[in-house]
Amino acid sequence: MTAAQSPAPQARGPQQGRETWTSNRGFILAAIGSAVGLGNIWRFPGVAYEGGGGAFLIPYLIALVTAGIPILFLDYAVGHRFRAAAPLAFRRMWRRAEALGWFQTAILFVISTYYAVIIAWSLSYFYYSFGTKWGERPDEFFTGDYLRVGEAGVSGELVGTVAWPLIGVWALIIVILALGVAKGVEKLNVIGLPLLVLGFAALVIKAVTLPGASDGLNALFTPQWDKLSDLNVWIAAYSQIFFSMSIAFGIMISYASFQKRKSNMTSSGLVVGFANSSFELLAGIGVFSALGFLAHEQGKTYEQLDGLTGPILSFVTFPRVISEMPGSAFFGALFFGSLAIAGFTSLISLMLGVSVAFQEKFGLSRTSASVTVGVVAAIVSFGLFATTTGLLALDTVDQFANNIGIVVSAIAMCVIAVWVARTIETLRAHLNAVSTFKLGWWWVPVIGVYAPLFLTVMLVQKIYDLIVDGYEDLPTWYVGVFGWGTVGFLFVFAAVLTAVGWKGRDDPSFTPWPIVGSGPSSAESKESVR
Ligand code: PHE
């Protein structure tokens, strides 16, 4: 079908009444809200430090430009052209690609079940900041008094201090999901994101003025050039970009699917990408200034500090910083409040992706999908991660879902779009027809050749390491169940949901918007609409 022969671009079937963001600004805010999360605050600073400090900015920026931004555009193109969450959008691109959409949905589901728990911890610690309840030994407090950590295993024993705030997190998520895209998700971001930026900026300003801050910043930014020859540093840079930008998870597909027809997609993508990286740098400055202060107060050198990333950075090292500080309650509240808001605006994006996928496949209403999906995720979240064995399970599941799941997803997405469904030129023409920043020819080889090759190297290396070295000295059975079990779950979930028949909105008459404006209109004739 050529552009000229295409039927008028009327909305039809399920498209009729598809929700939209109220404006492009709403979309951009929501997309930044999804991207800016725990990954920016607790992951980036430590990864950058270990990856060569100032020198790490080189692989990081290369990863941003050669994978982050191009794959973000691919997500946008698929979502905006095929107007659905990942499973249906991929199905419309190429019938069999539906499975990839469910694979991504499975990753979202898994991540959301533990991400919510970290938000619950942050809420508890927000409260504990008033009065520095963690006392003299924040390490013992976190794993002992607060989480009551048990041996590596599975215990059904709920930890009340985690479970209570967790109920609040899930209740709020379900309500916001049920309110929908414009009234729920967009509103949350319109309120949450400015609050986050203000609160976090205040925190960083305070942090850089502390004694010792400059030592921390020197530690973060002094380049160690020799690290650049280490493949693992490059892999860390690419992983950071993927997780941080929320790409190849299907989230940006559903977010883009709620954009109106005339939406400046690529320019918005550039804004989102650079905003996310800027926040990441800001977090690096804030966190390392605070760590410099801690070393200064404790009369240590910077190298003697430990616990520089992840949960330990936030819930052990940071409480130490807070305790050392005059006016600490305020600083603590800013830090844990920022963590909670940043996490919440990301969690909503994870759950929206899952909920819309189920609405479309099973013809569910928004409310029933939100409640069903929310309750199931909440139950898993309580059962696995709010228990005395939750911390370890969380760490292991996170490692495998992110390092293996997401890389498999990204490779499959690139290969299918370019080599199997052969829709990449259409997607490029589509983006160029609606956007002011035009994608040149370079986008196709980046998506079709460079990204999948590099990601494959990355995947092989990671799998090899995990098989040979295991994970974190954990017992093999444990890594088998929680680590490889997670990967297995992703595949099984994808297979089962693909096999189930469509009850909902697989509208055979779906027609993508015709590509008018710029770009080769012949590109569209290469595509068959399935
Ligand atoms: N990008 C978010 C962060 O940096 C995490 C996230 C990943 C959110 C995937 C949604 C999807 O923390």
Side-chain angles (χ1 to χ4, degrees):
M1 203 187 296
T2 67
Q5 292 163 338
S6 300
Q10 289 157 349
R12 290 205 228 162
Q15 302 318 310
Q16 227 148 26
R18 185 173 184 77
E19 292 180 89
T20 56
W21 306 103
T22 58
S23 62
N24 200 43
R25 191 194 64 144
F27 166 73
I28 291 181
L29 284 180
I32 296 177
S34 170
V36 171
L38 304 172
N40 299 58
I41 299 177
W42 83 20
R43 210 160 168 268
F44 175 80
V47 170
Y49 172 68
E50 278 162 19
F56 182 76
L57 292 178
I58 293 177
Y60 176 81
L61 288 175
I62 292 180
L64 175 68
V65 175
T66 59
I69 299 276
I71 295 180
L72 181 69
F73 288 161
L74 179 60
D75 270 342
Y76 280 4
V78 171
H80 195 240
R81 182 155 186 81
F82 300 109
R83 274 170 285 151
L88 181 55
F90 281 125
R91 184 179 164 98
R92 285 172 172 170
M93 181 170 98
W94 177 54
R95 204 174 175 84
R96 295 217 196 138
E98 183 189 334
L100 171 60
W102 287 113
F103 186 81
Q104 296 185 337
T105 309
I107 301 179
L108 298 184
F109 178 81
V110 169
I111 296 183
S112 69
T113 58
Y114 66 79
Y115 213 82
V117 175
I118 303 170
I119 300 171
W121 297 348
S122 309
L123 291 175
S124 301
Y125 271 67
F126 176 81
Y127 175 69
Y128 295 161
S129 299
F130 302 93
T132 51
K133 178 147 190 276
W134 44 77
E136 296 293 304
R137 298 292 315 257
D139 48 345
E140 288 173 7
F141 180 82
F142 181 55
T143 51
D145 303 39
Y146 184 59
L147 294 180
R148 297 197 278 116
V149 169
E151 296 275 293
V154 203
S155 100
E157 195 190 337
L158 270 188
V159 180
T161 38
V162 179
W164 285 112
L166 189 58
I167 293 178
V169 171
W170 282 113
L172 196 58
I173 284 286
I174 292 174
V175 169
I176 293 175
L177 275 184
L179 283 172
V181 170
K183 292 212 188 87
V185 180
E186 182 174 332
K187 271 257 160 58
L188 170 77
N189 282 287
V190 167
I191 299 170
L193 208 60
L195 262 180
L196 171 65
V197 171
L198 284 179
F200 204 78
L203 179 124
V204 174
I205 291 172
K206 170 85 186 158
V208 292
T209 55
L210 292 169
S214 54
D215 297 339
L217 292 177
N218 280 337
L220 175 61
F221 288 114
T222 305
Q224 296 161 264
W225 297 109
D226 53 318
K227 293 260 183 173
L228 292 188
S229 56
D230 180 353
L231 179 64
N232 282 316
V233 167
W234 289 81
I235 292 181
Y238 277 80
S239 312
Q240 175 63 23
I241 283 290
F242 271 80
F243 187 73
S244 178
M245 293 178 73
S246 317
I247 50 176
F249 287 88
I251 291 184
M252 288 302 141
I253 296 183
S254 39
Y255 270 31
S257 79
F258 296 116
Q259 274 279 56
K260 299 192 174 110
R261 180 172 179 198
K262 279 273 166 222
S263 300
N264 197 343
M265 300 302 291
T266 51
S267 309
S268 308
L270 293 177
V271 173
V272 173
F274 287 107
N276 178 57
S277 291
S278 308
F279 196 96
E280 217 144 58
L281 272 180
L282 189 70
I285 293 173
V287 168
F288 271 74
S289 301
L291 294 175
F293 164 73
L294 182 64
H296 177 267
E297 292 299 297
Q298 299 189 335
K300 291 183 177 167
T301 66
Y302 193 84
E303 290 73 29
Q304 290 167 320
L305 291 182
D306 48 13
L308 302 184
T309 59
I312 302 301
L313 169 74
S314 298
F315 297 99
V316 176
T317 313
F318 242 83
R320 281 198 183 114
V321 175
I322 296 165
S323 293
E324 295 282 349
M325 195 181 280
S328 52
F330 183 62
F331 191 80
L334 281 181
F335 180 74
F336 291 111
S338 301
L339 214 52
I341 298 177
F344 210 83
T345 52
S346 297
L347 179 61
I348 198 75
S349 72
L350 293 159
M351 289 307 292
L352 185 78
V354 181
S355 166
V356 176
F358 278 89
Q359 282 170 44
E360 286 166 352
K361 177 120 190 182
F362 297 102
L364 299 174
S365 73
R366 188 171 74 213
T367 313
S368 46
S370 309
V371 174
T372 315
V373 164
V375 168
V376 173
I379 291 173
V380 176
S381 167
F382 280 97
L384 284 182
F385 304 114
T387 62
T388 52
T389 49
L391 177 62
L392 208 55
L394 186 153
D395 187 55
T396 312
V397 170
D398 176 59
Q399 170 77 8
F400 282 75
N402 280 311
N403 285 313
I404 301 195
I406 215 55
V407 182
V408 169
S409 155
I411 297 171
M413 190 164 90
C414 292
V415 169
I416 291 174
V418 176
W419 302 105
V420 185
R422 297 180 175 267
T423 34
I424 198 78
E425 279 300 339
T426 310
L427 293 175
R428 182 161 82 94
H430 178 100
L431 286 179
N432 283 346
V434 293
S435 310
T436 46
F437 173 79
K438 308 286 180 204
L439 283 182
W441 61 268
W442 56 266
W443 188 57
V444 179
V446 168
I447 294 288
V449 183
Y450 175 78
L453 281 181
F454 187 87
L455 292 170
T456 305
V457 171
M458 192 164 143
L459 182 66
V460 170
Q461 167 83 27
K462 195 76 214 179
I463 293 180
Y464 175 84
D465 284 351
L466 285 170
I467 290 177
V468 174
D469 302 336
Y471 181 59
E472 300 265 317
D473 298 327
L474 286 168
T476 314
W477 74 266
Y478 189 85
V479 177
V481 173
F482 281 88
W484 298 108
T486 300
V487 177
F489 169 80
L490 302 178
F491 282 98
V492 171
F493 183 101
V496 170
L497 276 139
T498 309
V500 176
W502 275 87
K503 300 197 182 35
R505 306 171 166 188
D506 180 24
D507 180 0
S509 62
F510 172 81
T511 328
W513 288 312
I515 297 169
V516 283
S518 65
S521 62
S522 63
E524 204 181 10
S525 61
K526 288 193 200 125
E527 177 192 44
S528 56
V529 178
R530 290 167 238 240

